[in-house]
Amino acid sequence: MGALHDFLHCHCNICLDLMAKRKEENFFSPENAKRPRQEELDDFDKDECDEDECTVSFTNGTSTLTAAEVGIIESIQLKNFMCHSMLGPFKFGSNVNFVVGNNGSGKSAVLTALIVGLGGKAVTTNRGSSLKGFVKDGQNSADISITLRNRGDDAYRGNVYGDTIIVQQHISMDGSRSYKLKSATGAVVSTKKEELIGILDHFNIQVDNPVSVLTQEMSKQFLQSKNEGDKYKFFMKATQLEQMKEDYSYIMETKERTKEQINQGEERLGELKRQCLEKEERFQNIAGLSTMKTNLEYLKHEMAWAVVNEIEKQLNAIRDNIKIGEDRAARLERKTEEQQVRLNEAEKKYKDIQDKLERISQETHARAPECMALRADLTSKKRAYNEAEVLYNRSLNEYKALKKDDEQLCRRIEELRKSADQSLEPERLERQKKISWLKERVKALQDQESSVNQEIEQFQQAIEKDKEEHTRIKREELDVKTALNFNQRQLKELKDSKTDRLKRFGPHVPALLEAIDDAYRRGHFNYKPVGPLGACIHLRDPELALAIESCLKGLLQAYCCHNHADERVLQALMKKFYPPGTSRPQIIVSEFRNEMYDVRHRAAYHPEYPTVLTALEIDNAVVANSLIDMRSIETVLLIKNNSVARAVMQSQKPPKNCREAFTADGDQVFAGRYYSSEYTRPKFLSRDVDSEISDLEDEIENKKAQILNLQQHLSALEKDIKCNEELLRRYQLHYKELKMKIRKSISEIRELENIEEHQSVDIATLEDEAQENKVKMKMVEKNMEQQKENMEHLKSLKVEAENKYDEIKQKINQLSEQADPLKDELNLADSEVDNQKRGKRHYEDKQKEHLDTLNKKKRELDMKEKELEEKMSQARQICPERIEVKKSASILDKEINRLRQKIQAEHASYGDREEIMKCLTLRCKLYFDNLLSQRAYCGKMNFDHKNETLTISVQPGEGNKAAFNDMRALSGGERSFSTVCFILSLWSIAESPFRCLDEFDVYMDMVNRRIAMDMILKMADSQRFRQFILLTPQSMSSLPSSKLIRILRMSDPERGQTTLPFRPISQEDDDDRS
């Protein structure tokens, strides 16, 4: 095989015209000969053969060339052709096309129309002898329209035709045909057949060449023919060697005639000299091949160092980028440090305000008991003062009444002394007795009045006390009812959550999530919002549920949006489910990331107790990042025991990065303070729903029993109040009656005392009464003075208590006034801390992202430096000394390709015929033998160029166990497989922009068909600049998926369609009419 390579390398420069502009796949790899189809298709991208050498690469590979630009068929359309009224237009792909369909569907009609439409003879199609046989019965004419691709540098008159050339042929009933050659815009450019021939020659299209278009009949003829000369003619025609032979014969005949003409006369010497000059110019062109090859080598040297130059430029650009990246990394580092300073200042400010508030709170709490004691003391002293004042006023009124009585007695005694008439003494004595009786009655009534008044005061105090107790019990009943309603709602939500867990987060949440899903499907959201967050997290330890709820609070019901546009859409959806005035879930706007923040450097750590972040299982990075942003859950510890939490946070220095902790009871513990939880059980995160429901039901029953007891107590109090009020009303009525009696008796006394009597009065009695009245006055006056002193004393105590209470109340109010702005400042400071934290995280993330990019650039730099070393090593192997190259690699590549094409063109124009034939026949043998080996067949091709014969024999067996057989002795499948191998070997050495093959697999079994299909697809993939049109009745459903393969499925034939009305082939020639 090595000698064969050397032979091909030495001789194939002669036939570069047959190998230019492509990189062919070699089918000679022994280890790949029996590889399954999928593996073969997957190995298409391994190696390539070199363009500048005519050696055959012996490894599988995929061509890197793009699709063909000229000569391939883009579409074909038939009208009234053969037995079809209308077929097409069929759009063909640039590489592999399968035309599949049942017999009679029009596959062969498309192939026949391709031959006829591009100027082929009717007999070439093996479908008829005259063109008029292709016109459908009952129609006057047939039309064929073929579109050829015409792009790129090799386009035929590209400025006239454009990107496509449309060949339209009209066939009449009489067998005549006419042409219209149109541009891409549809404009008619020519109607001459010479123009079509020029186009076909430019594109190297030969429709009568069996390599370009091979019909079933042609395949059978040359394989089953007994005459080796016919096979040789087929080979010569397929490789265009026959045309070359005719050209050489014509040249030799012309040469002999020219010699005869030279001998005939000197008059044609001038013409011969001109021809001689032409021959010399051609000789000079041939001599210039050496110069072009030298230039090609130099261009290769330049190309090698140009690649090195470009990699060096890329290296310099990468180094510049790395330098810029390092400067930016330093700036980001400074920004991060500045942000840390601002964060420290914000946290210090927050702590200072928090400490102030804590001191105020502690002072307020410390003064609260004193304030309550002073208030109670003030109330008792007010009551004592009021009672003393009542007694004093009562004594004062009694003293005034006694004084008035004394004055009246003195006047009466004086009047009696002056009276000289003693005749009315008995009547006076009677009045005096009545007055004494009335006075005693008044005194009795007054004592009774005082007793009734005391009773009234006692009833009033009892009623007031009962009403206060009633108000307190009523308030307690309201609180218990509120708690009962809350528990009943919670119980309903828990029962609902047994069927739908989302209802724990609100009765509208399932409907809201459905609306979010619908809006996302409609494209209203850039990213689907995530939430509620509580539904996206799971507890590792159920005992920490209340602690985590106390920490996260409203965040459990919050939602996350990627941007503010998504937030506005979500707000609009929430309005439908949350009426105005009701609280809506919080919406967090933060860019969605696929990875969770790296918080290892700022997270709290304790060997025994987890943080909120580590205590949760969070599958969604967006949820974790939102909780880190909003609540810093990586810095919050969870410690079940309250006393242990106090010891960890307050008795010693808190763990690093730890700001606060929560206990299993939900209590919040800071370094300097402790807050009890408002909740007793978790609402959202509890796992044991049945236990929660049972506990709630028990609590609801307890609340109902408590309400019943309170209502009974209220009923008893209301009954007592009603009874006391009735008794009070009676005593007050009795008190009024006593008052009226007293006033009436005093009035009678005054009337009796004011009567002027001329009778004598017992002055001694009046004087005794006056004396007794004065003694009473002194006693009352003395008692009154004591009561006044006591009242003044109690008043001073009351004023003192009021001053003390007002003073401490004022201090508490001042503390409250001081705390209100501090709370606002604390909220602002807390927001500032969060903002600074987010800013710090932003710069840290930016820094990490930038460092990753920078490291990637550095790795790229290392790879480029290694690549540079490899390219420089390769360049030194090609050209040891470095060359200064000013052109780019792409320009040099184009120049090398142009020079190669020129060299190939020169070889094609002036190459040796025998050498070309020798190279082509050898390559055809090698390809044929290798293709057969893929089925474990062996074959021979014997060329006799002298006698112009070709003998083909195939051995289907293994090794030397079977004899070589003539093609006609093979089975149908073996013969079809051998046909494909022979056609593929001719395809490998012949030029044509497209290849057509009709029912290549018709007699093959499944194994032969698969192998043949693999070989065709591999060749098509290696020659993407060529077009392949394959006709087959198979479905081709097992083909691999590829953008290079297009399958055109023909419709089934219409019912009643009969055999095409073709006449037997005769000697009629339609070219006379064309």
Side-chain angles (χ1 to χ4, degrees):
M1 188 65 76
L4 185 59
H5 273 279
D6 295 336
F7 178 82
L8 287 173
H9 184 66
C10 295
H11 290 80
C12 282
N13 283 331
I14 303 169
C15 56
L16 281 172
D17 58 314
L18 301 177
M19 301 180 66
K21 304 178 185 175
R22 77 179 66 88
K23 297 182 179 178
E24 295 183 351
E25 172 190 0
N26 189 345
F27 304 89
F28 291 68
S29 176
E31 64 271 22
N32 293 334
K34 296 183 180 180
R35 183 175 298 172
R37 172 186 294 181
Q38 189 57 46
E39 184 178 349
E40 291 170 345
L41 293 175
D42 291 341
D43 289 339
F44 271 7
D45 55 349
K46 289 186 178 177
D47 298 311
E48 304 171 350
C49 74
D50 196 353
E51 285 186 358
D52 62 328
E53 295 181 359
C54 191
T55 60
V56 180
S57 171
F58 288 82
T59 58
N60 287 338
T62 298
S63 171
T64 59
L65 295 177
T66 57
E69 293 186 333
V70 295
I72 67 171
I73 300 168
E74 290 194 343
S75 68
I76 184 169
Q77 185 173 5
L78 314 179
K79 181 179 179 183
N80 298 329
F81 189 80
M82 297 175 70
C83 60
H84 303 281
S85 300
M86 179 65 71
L87 278 179
F90 300 106
K91 304 288 184 181
F92 292 99
S94 61
N95 193 225
V96 180
N97 298 271
F98 286 93
V99 182
V100 301
N102 295 325
N103 293 330
S105 61
K107 301 190 301 298
S108 299
V110 173
L111 192 63
T112 302
L114 179 63
I115 298 172
V116 174
L118 294 179
K121 299 177 183 179
V123 292
T124 307
T125 65
N126 295 309
R127 294 279 181 167
S129 60
S130 176
L131 289 177
K132 59 187 178 182
F134 295 117
V135 180
K136 184 181 179 183
D137 287 346
Q139 301 296 328
N140 296 325
S141 62
D143 294 286
I144 303 171
S145 178
I146 300 172
T147 302
L148 302 176
R149 184 172 292 181
N150 188 46
R151 304 176 185 171
D153 297 333
D154 293 332
Y156 179 81
R157 299 175 67 190
N159 58 337
V160 177
Y161 284 96
D163 290 341
T164 57
I165 298 175
I166 303 172
V167 180
Q168 291 185 347
Q169 184 176 148
H170 182 78
I171 303 173
S172 303
M173 274 295 297
D174 58 358
S176 63
R177 61 180 171 185
S178 59
Y179 297 94
K180 286 185 181 180
L181 304 176
K182 296 183 178 182
S183 66
T185 60
V188 178
V189 177
S190 176
T191 58
K192 297 180 180 179
K193 186 175 182 180
E194 290 77 12
E195 179 72 358
L196 175 61
I197 293 173
I199 292 171
L200 299 180
D201 287 344
H202 182 81
F203 292 158
N204 200 18
I205 296 174
Q206 306 129 28
V207 291
D208 57 347
N209 189 337
V211 173
S212 295
V213 182
L214 182 63
T215 63
Q216 283 181 286
E217 293 300 320
M218 179 64 73
S219 174
K220 292 176 183 177
Q221 286 176 18
F222 88 83
L223 287 174
Q224 296 181 356
S225 174
K226 298 179 180 180
N227 189 349
E228 281 77 19
D230 292 339
K231 295 178 182 177
Y232 185 85
K233 288 179 182 179
F234 180 89
F235 170 79
M236 294 292 286
K237 190 173 184 180
T239 57
Q240 295 181 274
L241 292 174
E242 183 180 4
Q243 181 67 36
M244 187 184 298
K245 178 182 176 184
E246 292 174 0
D247 291 342
Y248 268 85
S249 299
Y250 175 77
I251 290 171
M252 295 307 294
E253 291 174 4
T254 303
K255 180 181 178 182
E256 293 299 323
R257 286 197 301 269
T258 303
K259 286 182 179 179
E260 292 175 3
Q261 290 173 357
I262 291 173
N263 294 332
Q264 287 175 3
E266 292 292 331
E267 65 273 15
R268 300 189 60 189
L269 183 61
E271 178 66 20
L272 291 175
K273 285 183 178 180
R274 186 183 63 78
Q275 291 180 4
C276 180
L277 291 174
E278 289 180 355
K279 299 295 182 183
E280 287 179 354
E281 183 180 357
R282 292 177 66 188
F283 177 77
Q284 293 295 331
N285 289 337
I286 293 172
L289 282 174
S290 177
T291 304
M292 285 189 284
K293 290 180 179 179
T294 303
N295 293 339
L296 180 61
E297 288 300 317
Y298 183 75
L299 285 174
K300 287 181 178 179
H301 294 176
E302 284 191 326
M303 181 68 174
W305 287 106
V307 172
V308 172
N309 289 346
E310 290 189 356
I311 293 178
E312 287 178 342
K313 289 179 182 178
Q314 293 173 4
L315 271 175
N316 293 332
I318 293 172
R319 288 192 183 104
D320 293 340
N321 286 338
I322 288 174
K323 186 176 183 305
I324 294 170
E326 288 175 343
D327 294 341
R328 190 183 175 200
R331 288 198 302 274
L332 285 173
E333 180 68 26
R334 289 195 299 273
K335 287 282 188 183
T336 305
E337 291 174 355
E338 293 172 1
Q339 195 68 29
Q340 182 63 48
V341 171
R342 287 196 288 270
L343 175 60
N344 293 339
E345 292 175 353
E347 287 181 338
K348 184 177 180 302
K349 183 179 178 182
Y350 178 85
K351 191 174 183 308
D352 293 341
I353 296 172
Q354 203 172 42
D355 291 342
K356 289 181 182 178
L357 244 155
E358 182 64 22
R359 287 195 296 270
I360 292 173
S361 177
Q362 290 176 354
E363 190 174 351
T364 302
H365 288 312
R367 292 180 180 276
E370 183 183 358
C371 180
M372 292 177 64
L374 289 173
R375 182 179 178 183
D377 183 55
L378 176 61
T379 304
S380 65
K381 288 181 177 176
K382 276 186 176 180
R383 188 181 295 112
Y385 172 75
N386 291 336
E387 291 175 355
E389 189 176 17
V390 169
L391 292 175
Y392 173 77
N393 290 331
R394 190 178 296 163
S395 298
L396 182 61
N397 291 332
E398 185 179 359
Y399 177 78
K400 288 179 178 179
L402 289 172
K403 189 176 182 180
K404 190 174 182 180
D405 291 342
D406 182 64
E407 291 175 355
Q408 290 178 355
L409 285 172
C410 291
R411 279 198 306 271
R412 185 64 179 162
I413 290 170
E414 186 66 26
E415 288 175 359
L416 287 175
R417 284 179 179 171
K418 292 179 179 180
S419 176
D421 190 1
Q422 298 292 328
S423 59
L424 298 176
E425 185 66 21
E427 188 177 350
R428 185 185 65 80
L429 290 174
E430 187 64 28
R431 284 198 307 272
Q432 191 66 36
K433 287 180 183 179
K434 190 174 183 180
I435 289 171
S436 297
W437 176 79
L438 287 172
K439 285 182 178 181
E440 289 177 359
R441 186 184 179 193
V442 167
K443 187 176 182 303
L445 288 173
Q446 285 178 343
D447 292 339
Q448 194 175 354
E449 177 195 17
S450 177
S451 175
V452 170
N453 190 37
Q454 288 178 1
E455 292 292 335
I456 289 173
E457 287 180 358
Q458 288 176 359
F459 281 120
Q460 286 176 339
Q461 289 176 359
I463 291 170
E464 184 179 358
K465 184 177 179 181
D466 287 345
K467 284 184 177 179
E468 288 177 358
E469 182 70 10
H470 185 277
T471 303
R472 185 184 65 78
I473 298 298
K474 197 72 176 175
R475 192 181 303 111
E476 186 177 350
E477 180 194 23
L478 182 62
D479 293 340
V480 175
K481 283 184 176 179
T482 304
L484 176 64
N485 293 333
F486 176 76
N487 288 340
Q488 287 174 335
R489 285 198 306 273
Q490 197 173 5
L491 179 62
K492 184 179 182 303
E493 291 172 0
L494 282 174
K495 287 183 177 178
D496 291 341
S497 69
K498 290 186 69 175
T499 57
D500 189 348
R501 181 172 178 265
L502 292 172
K503 287 189 177 181
R504 280 197 184 190
F505 302 94
H508 307 298
V509 169
L512 175 60
L513 292 179
E514 288 182 6
I516 290 173
D517 289 338
D518 184 60
Y520 179 68
R521 284 193 296 271
R522 296 173 181 269
H524 296 166
F525 290 107
N526 295 317
Y527 289 86
K528 182 181 174 182
V530 178
L533 299 186
C536 304
I537 62 177
H538 305 282
L539 301 177
R540 299 182 189 274
D541 186 352
E543 294 182 5
L544 296 174
L546 182 56
I548 293 175
E549 281 197 19
S550 299
C551 175
L552 300 181
K553 295 182 180 176
L555 290 175
L556 293 171
Q557 296 174 280
Y559 291 78
C560 296
C561 287
H562 175 68
N563 53 35
H564 290 288
D566 288 351
E567 179 201 14
R568 288 191 290 271
V569 177
L570 183 56
Q571 287 282 16
L573 289 177
M574 284 185 176
K575 286 182 181 178
K576 300 177 182 178
F577 300 98
Y578 295 92
T582 59
S583 61
R584 297 181 193 170
Q586 181 181 358
I587 299 177
I588 303 166
V589 180
S590 180
E591 182 181 356
F592 285 6
R593 294 171 177 260
N594 294 327
E595 295 181 357
M596 195 180 80
Y597 296 147
D598 184 3
V599 296
R600 289 174 293 181
H601 61 285
R602 63 172 185 265
Y605 171 75
H606 193 281
E608 298 181 26
Y609 310 113
T611 63
V612 176
L613 180 60
T614 57
L616 293 174
E617 292 180 0
I618 308 176
D619 298 329
N620 194 329
V622 173
V623 176
N625 293 338
S626 297
L627 294 178
I628 290 170
D629 284 337
M630 300 302 295
R631 193 60 184 86
S632 301
I633 58 174
E634 77 279 12
T635 66
V636 182
L637 283 180
L638 298 175
I639 305 171
K640 293 182 181 179
N641 189 277
N642 296 356
S643 58
V644 175
R646 287 179 181 271
V648 171
M649 296 298 295
Q650 297 177 350
S651 299
Q652 54 191 355
K653 185 178 179 181
K656 184 181 178 182
N657 296 330
C658 179
R659 290 182 52 194
E660 56 186 304
F662 282 86
T663 69
D665 295 332
D667 295 348
Q668 188 176 13
V669 187
F670 289 95
R673 58 195 185 283
Y674 187 99
Y675 297 107
S676 297
S677 174
E678 300 175 1
Y679 306 102
T680 57
R681 64 167 53 87
K683 179 180 179 183
F684 304 110
L685 302 179
S686 175
R687 290 186 183 177
D688 191 356
V689 179
D690 292 330
S691 175
E692 286 290 318
I693 289 174
S694 177
D695 291 345
L696 269 178
E697 287 175 344
D698 292 342
E699 189 169 341
I700 287 171
E701 291 300 322
N702 292 336
K703 289 280 192 301
K704 287 181 178 179
Q706 189 177 354
I707 289 172
L708 183 61
N709 291 334
L710 291 172
Q711 287 176 345
Q712 290 175 353
H713 192 184
L714 284 173
S715 178
L717 284 174
E718 288 171 356
K719 193 177 292 183
D720 288 345
I721 290 171
K722 188 175 181 181
C723 179
N724 287 335
E725 284 179 343
E726 178 63 25
L727 291 173
L728 176 63
R729 187 183 63 77
R730 292 179 183 176
Y731 273 93
Q732 286 176 339
L733 185 61
H734 183 49
Y735 181 79
K736 288 180 181 179
E737 291 176 352
L738 289 174
K739 281 282 190 184
M740 289 179 64
K741 288 179 179 179
I742 290 170
R743 283 197 297 270
K744 186 177 180 182
S745 298
I746 291 172
S747 177
E748 287 181 5
I749 290 171
R750 288 175 181 173
E751 287 178 0
L752 290 172
E753 288 177 345
N754 290 332
I755 294 174
E756 293 185 2
E757 298 176 349
H758 299 284
Q759 57 189 356
S760 61
V761 181
D762 190 355
I763 296 173
T765 304
L766 290 176
E767 286 178 349
D768 292 340
E769 187 177 348
Q771 186 63 33
E772 184 180 350
N773 194 42
K774 285 181 181 181
V775 171
K776 285 183 180 180
M777 283 178 61
K778 286 180 180 181
M779 290 176 62
V780 170
E781 186 177 6
K782 184 178 180 181
N783 189 26
M784 190 174 63
E785 287 177 358
Q786 291 175 354
Q787 290 174 349
K788 187 175 182 182
E789 289 176 2
N790 185 37
M791 187 179 67
E792 292 295 331
H793 174 69
L794 291 174
K795 184 177 180 181
S796 63
L797 292 176
K798 185 193 76 163
V799 171
E800 183 182 356
E802 285 177 345
N803 292 336
K804 287 182 180 179
Y805 178 72
D806 291 341
E807 182 180 355
I808 195 166
K809 191 69 176 176
Q810 186 176 4
K811 287 181 179 179
I812 291 174
N813 291 337
Q814 288 174 353
L815 290 173
S816 178
E817 291 173 359
Q818 292 175 11
D820 289 341
L822 283 175
K823 288 178 182 177
D824 296 336
E825 290 181 20
L826 185 66
N827 291 333
L828 292 174
D830 190 43
S831 300
E832 181 65 20
V833 169
D834 290 338
N835 290 336
Q836 297 303 331
K837 282 185 177 179
R838 281 195 292 273
K840 183 186 173 188
R841 277 195 293 270
H842 169 75
Y843 283 115
E844 286 174 345
D845 294 340
K846 284 285 185 184
Q847 186 179 23
K848 182 178 179 300
E849 181 180 352
H850 181 68
L851 288 176
D852 291 343
T853 305
L854 189 61
N855 292 331
K856 186 178 178 182
K857 284 287 183 185
K858 288 181 179 178
R859 289 193 295 272
E860 184 181 354
L861 178 64
D862 294 339
M863 294 172 62
K864 279 291 179 185
E865 287 176 345
K866 291 178 182 177
E867 184 182 357
L868 177 62
E869 291 176 2
E870 293 174 0
K871 294 296 182 183
M872 289 186 74
S873 175
Q874 294 173 4
R876 289 192 183 97
Q877 292 176 3
I878 298 171
C879 179
E881 294 184 5
R882 182 159 184 165
I883 303 173
E884 184 179 351
V885 184
K886 295 183 179 179
K887 298 178 182 178
S888 66
S890 59
I891 294 174
L892 288 171
D893 186 54
K894 290 179 181 177
E895 291 184 2
I896 289 172
N897 289 334
R898 282 199 297 269
L899 194 55
R900 281 176 178 167
Q901 292 171 8
K902 192 172 181 181
I903 293 171
Q904 292 167 1
E906 292 296 329
H907 276 295
S909 300
Y910 310 114
D912 183 74
R913 174 177 174 269
E914 292 180 1
E915 290 291 332
I916 293 173
M917 289 183 65
K918 188 174 181 181
C919 179
L920 290 178
T921 54
L922 181 57
R923 290 181 63 211
C924 187
K925 287 180 180 180
L926 291 172
Y927 278 112
F928 183 71
D929 189 59
N930 179 71
L931 291 167
L932 286 174
S933 68
Q934 299 197 29
R935 189 70 180 93
Y937 288 11
C938 293
K940 291 183 180 179
M941 296 177 69
N942 294 322
F943 289 87
D944 187 348
H945 297 296
K946 183 177 180 180
N947 296 320
E948 298 185 348
T949 61
L950 169 60
T951 304
I952 301 175
S953 57
V954 176
Q955 172 191 328
E958 292 288 333
N960 296 321
K961 294 180 182 179
F964 285 88
N965 298 322
D966 185 75
M967 295 286 287
R968 289 167 296 172
L970 301 175
S971 67
E974 293 170 343
R975 188 165 57 251
S976 296
F977 175 76
S978 302
T979 303
V980 171
C981 294
F982 182 68
I983 292 299
L984 291 179
S985 63
L986 292 179
W987 279 1
S988 300
I989 63 174
E991 291 289 321
S992 179
F994 60 83
R995 283 87 187 272
C996 301
L997 193 58
D998 186 10
E999 296 193 1
F1000 64 95
D1001 58 347
V1002 65
Y1003 297 113
M1004 293 185 187
D1005 56 15
M1006 291 302 296
V1007 176
N1008 284 321
R1009 181 178 293 114
R1010 181 180 62 80
I1011 295 176
M1013 183 66 65
D1014 287 349
M1015 293 191 298
I1016 292 173
L1017 290 177
K1018 286 168 68 177
M1019 173 168 280
D1021 188 77
S1022 68
Q1023 298 184 6
R1024 295 186 184 179
F1025 50 89
R1026 299 200 191 287
Q1027 187 182 44
F1028 298 80
I1029 301 175
L1030 308 173
L1031 281 66
T1032 175
Q1034 305 298 326
S1035 67
M1036 296 293 108
S1037 61
S1038 61
L1039 284 176
S1041 177
S1042 172
K1043 64 180 180 181
L1044 300 176
I1045 299 175
R1046 180 175 294 182
I1047 299 177
L1048 303 175
R1049 302 190 186 276
M1050 308 291 289
S1051 302
D1052 291 336
E1054 299 175 358
R1055 294 181 180 270
Q1057 180 175 308
T1058 58
T1059 305
L1060 296 175
F1062 291 136
R1063 293 193 300 274
I1065 299 176
S1066 65
Q1067 299 299 321
E1068 290 182 57
D1069 188 2
D1070 62 326
D1071 282 353
D1072 296 338
R1073 298 172 180 268
S1074 60

